[in-house]
Amino acid sequence: MQFEAIFGIGKNELKKNCILLPLLNKDILSAFKITKFTRGKLYGIVQKDCFTLIHTGLGAPLTADAVLYLKDTPCRNVFLFGSCGLVREQEGLSLASLVAASKSYSYESFSEMLLGNNAQPKVFVPDSGLLNNFLAVAGKGMVREATCATLGSLKLEEGMVSLFIEKGIDIVDMESSAFFSACAYTQAKAAALFYATDIINKSPFYMKRDAALRSKLSAAIKNAAVLLCEFLKKN
């Protein structure tokens, strides 16, 4: 009863494969051919042939809680699919790049970021088998592996670029470290796929995008959705 109230469907209706969507936009709706969500109190559900889409909302708590609720359901493989920011441009990493997190540093706490008490963040990782299988199906050069940091503040990230570079962090998001830790706790296999939408301080998230970049981002989301669908059909 709790699960159905929160998700809008019974727990045994979930597929073996689930994709969590922190963010929804018209490109994601189009790429996955979404016309309507079944809504619970917290999450939205769309059932596809071989996977379940779950709209979680932005931020680590909602995404990680969704994973915890998936325990004791048919779900075994979980993909996080959303946007990320680049720490800086580099070879193979630019706006609209597709990126898979190879590990994620936990800077989830706003208070710790504000007080500067997070010099030694914990690191969480995806399931190596699921990630490597996905990368093999995606094909060489389609998706770049990168080190991620999950942040609790879009504002405070602006002053942390030097720290990120020092630690070898390539991208930032707001969910993946909590997502990986929750999946490890529930023993679900996890991987995270992102499309890069901004660059800290150089091309921030709030800047207006020109038509060419909007088109590139739209194509990246479509390509990512196709890769995920093909992989889950084959596996």
Side-chain angles (χ1 to χ4, degrees):
M1 189 166 184
Q2 179 197 48
F3 188 95
E4 188 166 355
I6 291 171
F7 285 84
I9 65 171
K11 63 166 53 180
N12 290 325
E13 296 180 59
L14 289 179
K15 308 283 188 180
K16 179 180 178 181
N17 304 304
C18 290
I19 300 174
L20 305 191
L21 304 170
L23 177 68
L24 277 184
N25 56 40
K26 64 179 182 180
D27 292 317
I28 290 176
L29 294 173
S30 174
F32 285 106
K33 297 180 173 58
I34 299 170
T35 56
K36 184 180 180 180
F37 277 90
T38 298
R39 291 282 178 184
K41 292 291 185 181
L42 288 180
Y43 304 112
I45 297 286
V46 174
Q47 297 283 30
K48 295 293 182 177
D49 289 342
C50 58
F51 58 90
T52 299
L53 286 166
I54 304 174
H55 176 221
T56 63
L58 291 170
L62 282 171
T63 299
D65 273 355
V67 173
L68 297 184
Y69 283 120
L70 296 182
K71 186 175 173 60
D72 300 322
T73 74
C75 179
R76 296 292 178 268
N77 306 311
V78 195
F79 272 90
L80 174 66
F81 178 51
S83 65
C84 72
L86 302 178
V87 174
R88 57 179 173 172
E89 283 188 289
Q90 50 187 300
E91 185 177 354
L93 278 181
S94 57
L95 292 175
S97 290
L98 297 183
V99 191
S102 58
K103 60 183 176 180
S104 185
Y105 286 83
S106 176
Y107 290 94
E108 299 161 25
S109 170
F110 174 88
S111 298
E112 294 299 307
M113 287 182 70
L114 183 64
L115 299 173
N117 294 334
N118 48 18
Q120 300 298 327
K122 292 184 178 179
V123 179
F124 299 95
V125 298
D127 179 83
S128 59
L130 184 63
L131 176 60
N132 290 334
N133 287 341
F134 171 72
L135 292 173
V137 170
K140 186 176 181 180
M142 288 295 294
V143 181
R144 163 79 182 269
E145 280 190 83
T147 298
C148 185
T150 296
L151 307 181
S153 169
L154 292 170
K155 171 61 177 171
L156 295 174
E157 73 179 15
E158 297 170 0
M160 297 177 68
V161 171
S162 296
L163 175 63
F164 295 152
I165 292 173
E166 179 185 322
K167 287 186 173 294
I169 292 167
D170 306 301
I171 61 172
V172 296
D173 87 313
M174 301 191 78
E175 293 89 17
S176 64
S177 65
F179 167 73
F180 289 148
S181 67
C183 286
Y185 180 82
T186 61
Q187 298 185 319
K189 294 181 179 180
L193 176 64
F194 302 111
Y195 50 95
T197 58
D198 55 273
I199 307 169
I200 300 175
N201 295 333
K202 181 179 179 182
S203 180
F205 68 92
Y206 52 81
M207 283 186 64
K208 188 174 181 180
R209 308 305 186 192
D210 61 30
L213 179 53
R214 291 199 303 271
S215 179
K216 283 182 66 176
L217 288 169
S218 180
I221 292 169
K222 181 179 179 180
N223 289 339
V226 168
L227 290 174
L228 282 171
C229 292
E230 288 181 351
F231 173 74
L232 295 175
K233 285 177 183 177
K234 293 177 180 178
N235 294 269

